CSV table of all heavy atoms in Angstrom, one decimal:
chain,number,residue,atom,x,y,z
A,1,GLY,N,46.7,16.0,-4.4
A,1,GLY,CA,47.6,16.6,-5.3
A,1,GLY,C,47.0,16.7,-6.7
A,1,GLY,O,47.1,17.7,-7.4
A,2,VAL,N,46.2,15.7,-7.1
A,2,VAL,CA,45.5,15.8,-8.4
A,2,VAL,C,44.5,16.9,-8.4
A,2,VAL,O,44.3,17.7,-9.3
A,2,VAL,CB,44.9,14.4,-8.8
A,2,VAL,CG1,43.9,14.6,-10.0
A,2,VAL,CG2,46.0,13.5,-9.1
A,3,ALA,N,43.7,17.0,-7.3
A,3,ALA,CA,42.7,18.0,-7.1
A,3,ALA,C,43.3,19.4,-7.1
A,3,ALA,O,42.8,20.3,-7.8
A,3,ALA,CB,41.9,17.8,-5.8
A,4,ALA,N,44.5,19.6,-6.5
A,4,ALA,CA,45.1,20.9,-6.5
A,4,ALA,C,45.7,21.2,-7.9
A,4,ALA,O,45.7,22.4,-8.3
A,4,ALA,CB,46.3,20.9,-5.5
A,5,ALA,N,46.2,20.2,-8.6
A,5,ALA,CA,46.7,20.5,-10.0
A,5,ALA,C,45.7,20.8,-11.0
A,5,ALA,O,45.9,21.6,-11.9
A,5,ALA,CB,47.5,19.2,-10.4
A,6,THR,N,44.5,20.2,-10.8
A,6,THR,CA,43.4,20.5,-11.8
A,6,THR,C,42.5,21.6,-11.4
A,6,THR,O,41.5,21.9,-12.1
A,6,THR,CB,42.6,19.2,-12.0
A,6,THR,OG1,42.0,18.8,-10.8
A,6,THR,CG2,43.5,18.1,-12.6
A,7,ARG,N,42.8,22.3,-10.3
A,7,ARG,CA,41.9,23.4,-9.9
A,7,ARG,C,42.1,24.6,-10.8
A,7,ARG,O,43.2,24.9,-11.1
A,7,ARG,CB,42.3,23.8,-8.4
A,7,ARG,CG,41.4,24.8,-7.8
A,7,ARG,CD,41.8,25.0,-6.4
A,7,ARG,NE,41.0,26.1,-5.9
A,7,ARG,CZ,41.6,27.2,-5.4
A,7,ARG,NH1,42.9,27.3,-5.3
A,7,ARG,NH2,40.8,28.2,-5.0
A,8,ARG,N,41.0,25.2,-11.1
A,8,ARG,CA,41.0,26.4,-12.0
A,8,ARG,C,41.5,27.6,-11.2
A,8,ARG,O,41.1,27.7,-10.1
A,8,ARG,CB,39.6,26.7,-12.5
A,8,ARG,CG,39.2,25.7,-13.6
A,8,ARG,CD,37.8,26.0,-14.1
A,8,ARG,NE,37.5,27.4,-14.1
A,8,ARG,CZ,36.3,27.9,-14.3
A,8,ARG,NH1,35.3,27.1,-14.5
A,8,ARG,NH2,36.2,29.2,-14.3
A,9,PRO,N,42.3,28.4,-11.8
A,9,PRO,CA,42.8,29.6,-11.1
A,9,PRO,C,41.6,30.6,-11.0
A,9,PRO,O,40.6,30.5,-11.7
A,9,PRO,CB,43.9,30.2,-12.0
A,9,PRO,CG,43.5,29.6,-13.4
A,9,PRO,CD,42.9,28.3,-13.2
A,10,GLY,N,41.8,31.5,-10.1
A,10,GLY,CA,40.8,32.5,-9.9
A,10,GLY,C,40.7,33.5,-11.1
A,10,GLY,O,41.4,33.4,-12.0
A,11,PRO,N,39.8,34.4,-11.0
A,11,PRO,CA,39.7,35.4,-12.1
A,11,PRO,C,40.9,36.2,-12.3
A,11,PRO,O,41.6,36.5,-11.4
A,11,PRO,CB,38.5,36.2,-11.8
A,11,PRO,CG,38.4,36.1,-10.3
A,11,PRO,CD,38.9,34.8,-9.9
A,12,ALA,N,41.2,36.6,-13.6
A,12,ALA,CA,42.4,37.4,-13.9
A,12,ALA,C,42.2,38.8,-13.4
A,12,ALA,O,43.2,39.5,-13.2
A,12,ALA,CB,42.6,37.3,-15.4
A,13,VAL,N,41.0,39.3,-13.3
A,13,VAL,CA,40.7,40.6,-12.9
A,13,VAL,C,40.0,40.6,-11.5
A,13,VAL,O,39.1,39.8,-11.4
A,13,VAL,CB,39.9,41.4,-13.9
A,13,VAL,CG1,39.6,42.8,-13.5
A,13,VAL,CG2,40.7,41.4,-15.2
A,14,GLY,N,40.4,41.5,-10.6
A,14,GLY,CA,39.7,41.5,-9.3
A,14,GLY,C,38.3,42.2,-9.4
A,14,GLY,O,37.7,42.3,-10.5
A,15,SER,N,37.9,42.5,-8.3
A,15,SER,CA,36.5,43.1,-8.2
A,15,SER,C,36.5,44.5,-8.7
A,15,SER,O,37.4,45.2,-8.7
A,15,SER,CB,36.1,43.1,-6.7
A,15,SER,OG,36.9,43.9,-6.0
A,16,VAL,N,35.3,44.9,-9.2
A,16,VAL,CA,35.1,46.2,-9.8
A,16,VAL,C,34.4,47.0,-8.7
A,16,VAL,O,33.4,46.6,-8.1
A,16,VAL,CB,34.2,46.1,-11.1
A,16,VAL,CG1,33.9,47.5,-11.6
A,16,VAL,CG2,34.8,45.2,-12.1
A,17,ARG,N,35.0,48.2,-8.4
A,17,ARG,CA,34.4,49.1,-7.4
A,17,ARG,C,34.3,50.5,-7.9
A,17,ARG,O,35.0,50.8,-8.9
A,17,ARG,CB,35.3,49.1,-6.2
A,17,ARG,CG,35.4,47.7,-5.5
A,17,ARG,CD,36.4,47.7,-4.4
A,17,ARG,NE,36.6,46.3,-3.9
A,17,ARG,CZ,36.5,46.0,-2.7
A,17,ARG,NH1,36.3,46.8,-1.8
A,17,ARG,NH2,36.7,44.7,-2.4
A,18,MET,N,33.5,51.3,-7.2
A,18,MET,CA,33.4,52.7,-7.6
A,18,MET,C,34.6,53.4,-7.0
A,18,MET,O,34.8,53.4,-5.8
A,18,MET,CB,32.1,53.2,-7.1
A,18,MET,CG,31.8,54.6,-7.6
A,18,MET,SD,31.5,54.7,-9.4
A,18,MET,CE,30.0,53.9,-9.6
A,19,GLY,N,35.3,54.1,-7.8
A,19,GLY,CA,36.5,54.8,-7.4
A,19,GLY,C,36.1,56.2,-7.1
A,19,GLY,O,35.0,56.6,-7.1
A,20,PRO,N,37.1,57.0,-6.7
A,20,PRO,CA,36.9,58.4,-6.4
A,20,PRO,C,36.4,59.2,-7.6
A,20,PRO,O,36.8,59.0,-8.7
A,20,PRO,CB,38.2,58.9,-5.9
A,20,PRO,CG,39.2,58.0,-6.5
A,20,PRO,CD,38.5,56.7,-6.6
A,21,GLY,N,35.4,60.0,-7.4
A,21,GLY,CA,34.9,60.9,-8.5
A,21,GLY,C,33.9,60.1,-9.4
A,21,GLY,O,33.6,60.6,-10.5
A,22,GLY,N,33.5,58.9,-9.0
A,22,GLY,CA,32.6,58.2,-9.9
A,22,GLY,C,33.2,57.3,-10.9
A,22,GLY,O,32.6,56.7,-11.7
A,23,TRP,N,34.6,57.2,-10.9
A,23,TRP,CA,35.3,56.4,-11.9
A,23,TRP,C,35.2,54.9,-11.4
A,23,TRP,O,35.2,54.7,-10.2
A,23,TRP,CB,36.7,56.8,-12.0
A,23,TRP,CG,36.9,58.2,-12.6
A,23,TRP,CD1,36.9,59.4,-12.0
A,23,TRP,CD2,37.0,58.4,-14.0
A,23,TRP,NE1,37.1,60.4,-12.9
A,23,TRP,CE2,37.1,59.8,-14.1
A,23,TRP,CE3,37.0,57.7,-15.2
A,23,TRP,CZ2,37.3,60.5,-15.4
A,23,TRP,CZ3,37.1,58.3,-16.4
A,23,TRP,CH2,37.3,59.7,-16.5
A,24,LEU,N,35.2,54.0,-12.4
A,24,LEU,CA,35.3,52.6,-12.0
A,24,LEU,C,36.7,52.2,-11.7
A,24,LEU,O,37.6,52.6,-12.5
A,24,LEU,CB,34.7,51.7,-13.2
A,24,LEU,CG,33.2,51.8,-13.3
A,24,LEU,CD1,32.8,50.9,-14.5
A,24,LEU,CD2,32.5,51.4,-12.1
A,25,SER,N,36.9,51.5,-10.7
A,25,SER,CA,38.2,51.0,-10.3
A,25,SER,C,38.2,49.4,-10.4
A,25,SER,O,37.4,48.8,-9.8
A,25,SER,CB,38.5,51.4,-8.9
A,25,SER,OG,39.7,50.8,-8.5
A,26,VAL,N,39.1,48.9,-11.3
A,26,VAL,CA,39.1,47.5,-11.4
A,26,VAL,C,40.5,47.0,-10.8
A,26,VAL,O,41.5,47.4,-11.4
A,26,VAL,CB,39.1,47.1,-12.9
A,26,VAL,CG1,39.1,45.6,-13.1
A,26,VAL,CG2,37.8,47.6,-13.5
A,27,ARG,N,40.4,46.2,-9.8
A,27,ARG,CA,41.6,45.8,-9.1
A,27,ARG,C,42.2,44.6,-9.9
A,27,ARG,O,41.6,43.7,-10.3
A,27,ARG,CB,41.3,45.3,-7.7
A,27,ARG,CG,40.7,46.4,-6.9
A,27,ARG,CD,40.7,46.0,-5.5
A,27,ARG,NE,42.0,46.2,-5.0
A,27,ARG,CZ,42.4,45.9,-3.8
A,27,ARG,NH1,41.6,45.4,-2.9
A,27,ARG,NH2,43.6,46.1,-3.4
A,28,GLY,N,43.5,44.7,-10.1
A,28,GLY,CA,44.3,43.7,-10.8
A,28,GLY,C,44.3,43.8,-12.3
A,28,GLY,O,44.8,42.9,-13.0
A,29,ALA,N,43.6,44.7,-12.9
A,29,ALA,CA,43.6,44.9,-14.3
A,29,ALA,C,44.9,45.5,-14.8
A,29,ALA,O,45.4,46.4,-14.2
A,29,ALA,CB,42.4,45.7,-14.8
A,30,PRO,N,45.4,45.1,-16.0
A,30,PRO,CA,46.6,45.7,-16.5
A,30,PRO,C,46.3,47.1,-16.9
A,30,PRO,O,45.2,47.4,-17.4
A,30,PRO,CB,47.0,44.8,-17.7
A,30,PRO,CG,45.7,44.1,-18.1
A,30,PRO,CD,44.9,44.0,-16.8
A,31,ALA,N,47.2,48.0,-16.7
A,31,ALA,CA,47.0,49.4,-17.0
A,31,ALA,C,47.1,49.6,-18.5
A,31,ALA,O,48.0,49.0,-19.2
A,31,ALA,CB,48.1,50.2,-16.4
A,32,ARG,N,46.1,50.3,-19.1
A,32,ARG,CA,46.1,50.5,-20.5
A,32,ARG,C,46.8,51.9,-20.8
A,32,ARG,O,46.5,52.9,-20.2
A,32,ARG,CB,44.7,50.6,-21.0
A,32,ARG,CG,44.0,49.3,-20.8
A,32,ARG,CD,42.6,49.3,-21.4
A,32,ARG,NE,42.6,49.5,-22.8
A,32,ARG,CZ,41.6,49.9,-23.5
A,32,ARG,NH1,40.4,50.0,-22.9
A,32,ARG,NH2,41.7,50.0,-24.8
C-alpha cells in the first residue's frame, strides 16, 4: 500500500509520433 501510494504517476503526455502529412502527433496532450 505504501509503495502504491508513493509511486510516481506516468508522464502527462503520451508518445510523440509522426502524423499524417509529416505533422507531429502527441498523444494525450491538451489541445491548444
Side-chain angles (χ1 to χ4, degrees):
V2 168
T6 59
R7 185 173 172 242
R8 289 181 29 192
V13 177
S15 61
V16 178
R17 298 177 187 228
M18 188 64 72
W23 293 90
L24 287 180
S25 174
V26 181
R27 300 191 78 182
R32 295 181 66 194

